[in-house]
Amino acid sequence: MDKMEKIVSLCKRRGFVFQSSEIYGGWEATYDFGPLGAEVLRNLRNLWWEEFIQKRPDIVGIDGAIISHPRVWEASGHTKSFADVMVEDTVTNKRYRADHLTDKIEDGMTPGEVEKIIKKNKIKSPDGNLLSKPKSFNQLVEVGIGTTESSKTKAYLRGETCQPIFYNFNLVKNSMRMKLPFGIAQIGKAFRNEIKVGPYFFRTREFEQMELEMYLHPKDSDKCFAEFKKWSIDWLISIGLRKENLRLRDQEFKERAHYNKVATDVEYRFELSNKDLKTTGGEWKEFQGIHYRSDWDLARHGEFSGHDFTYKNEETGEEFIPHIVEYSIGLNRLMLVLLVDAYVKEEKRVVLKLHPQVAPYKVAIFPLLANKPKLVSKAKKIFSTLSDKFSVTFDARGNIGKRYFTQDEIGTPWCVTVDFDTLEDNAVTIRDRDTMKQERVSITKLEEWFLRKLERVC
Ligand code: GAP
């Protein structure tokens, strides 16, 4: 089993991630997050919101609709340009983006042009089979909105979360009395009809994004772009990602989305098996983007809606359409990267060395024996005190060794055991996940001990 297969198995066994609709045979490229996965996602949303919104007086957050007016997606350019040329392996029926199979395909080429290149260069699928006729494929997910079949209007599930941030620019600016440069951020679901999905939940059709759009004068765009690059990496390291597995890579012109003038990817180095690398294009994988979108978004929404997005600098009198520098990260993809980075197989145990702020539970509380009411009641009291402050779990099943094994596998940084000495000295044993060292701490000092530990790792 390679590392990714082990993580898939752990995530299912321990309640992090399930294939969606498993009892119906599963639903391709869609996942449900179980109790522990939901905790990790919630922690990441909170950490991101605190860092990118709460700590900044010049950034505010919104929660926009998933389905907006269909004109939004015409203005954004997605109905026309959010398309890839797709080919199918004629034997296995696996689908591929044509430009992932050869570097001879330029951005914007029609299916006919792609077909000529495939024929001329005798390009085959990664499994060595003939390819089907190329087809253009738009990734927006269509929905019919309305109460009767005949009155249904074609709309789209949002293909990126940022569009409500753009069309609400003036409403947010005026209601919050913001002055340029300022940012609007959002966390939420996005949907794409991806041609090629996986591995696991790295690329799915339903996912969540955390996006920040900074509105500014064009002269400030380079400075903001550089600041975002540093901020991104610093934050990722602060939530536990290993620096040596991260890098920034500037996108080439042909890789850039239609709205981007400049784009830099934040990439993570996956240690995947050779088979995975062959079908997913190398070990470095993008999981975040920093984009200079220029005035594309506000200018286009102005043109399509007739609304005026001109910003007036009250001090200089200058009027202009604000430009945008964007920070965009996939929440689920970030979670997968963190799991892969944290997964360690040691001789006798598997440990998820997740950062304590990311781990589903901060502390596990055990009574040494489940059939000793005094120990159980003391442990339950500790649970009830600590659960006021952070996410904790209680476990009285099996022996202590097995309980440690389970908590290591789900990344719980500290385990607390209530034993017979506790009844005498009112102290407990704290065991550290990473060092496996044990320390005796008085119950009266416990809350403070964990708060200090959590503060130190923040
Ligand atoms: N608003 C800009 C934007 O959406 P993007 O590079 O297409 O840019 C940003 O997406 C991030 O969203 C990616 O870096 C990735 O983490 C996440 N993402 C995009 N498509 C995804 C998919 N199909 N499944 C999971 N995450 C995805």
Side-chain angles (χ1 to χ4, degrees), residues 12 23 31 72-73 102 115 128 215 236 261 267 360 384-385 435 451:
K12 183 175 177 187
I23 60 165
Y31 291 87
V72 166
W73 300 99
T102 167
E115 190 175 11
Y215 293 100
L236 292 168
K261 280 244 176 333
E267 297 187 327
S384 125
T385 313
T435 62
L451 285 173

Side-chain angles (χ1 to χ4, degrees), residues 231-244:
W231 198 10
S232 304
I233 298 288
D234 287 350
W235 183 69
L236 292 168
I237 293 171
S238 82
I239 60 163
L241 276 178
R242 279 177 285 166
K243 197 175 176 185
E244 64 272 23

Side-chain angles (χ1 to χ4, degrees), residues 14 49 73 79 159 162 173 188 206 218 308 327 329 389 409 413-414 418 427 448 454:
R14 298 292 184 197
W49 196 272
W73 300 99
T79 50
C162 53
K173 173 177 74 80
E206 173 180 344
D308 185 7
Y327 165 116
I329 190 163
K389 292 279 183 287
E409 237 193 352
W414 299 287
V418 174
E448 193 195 320
L454 283 166

Side-chain angles (χ1 to χ4, degrees), residues 160 192 194 202 204 209 211 259 286-288 326 328 330:
E160 53 177 0
R192 292 181 191 176
E194 296 282 2
F202 184 81
T204 48
Q209 290 183 314
E211 301 202 289
Y259 46 74
E286 180 264 355
F287 69 107
Q288 192 204 314
E326 171 180 74
S328 177

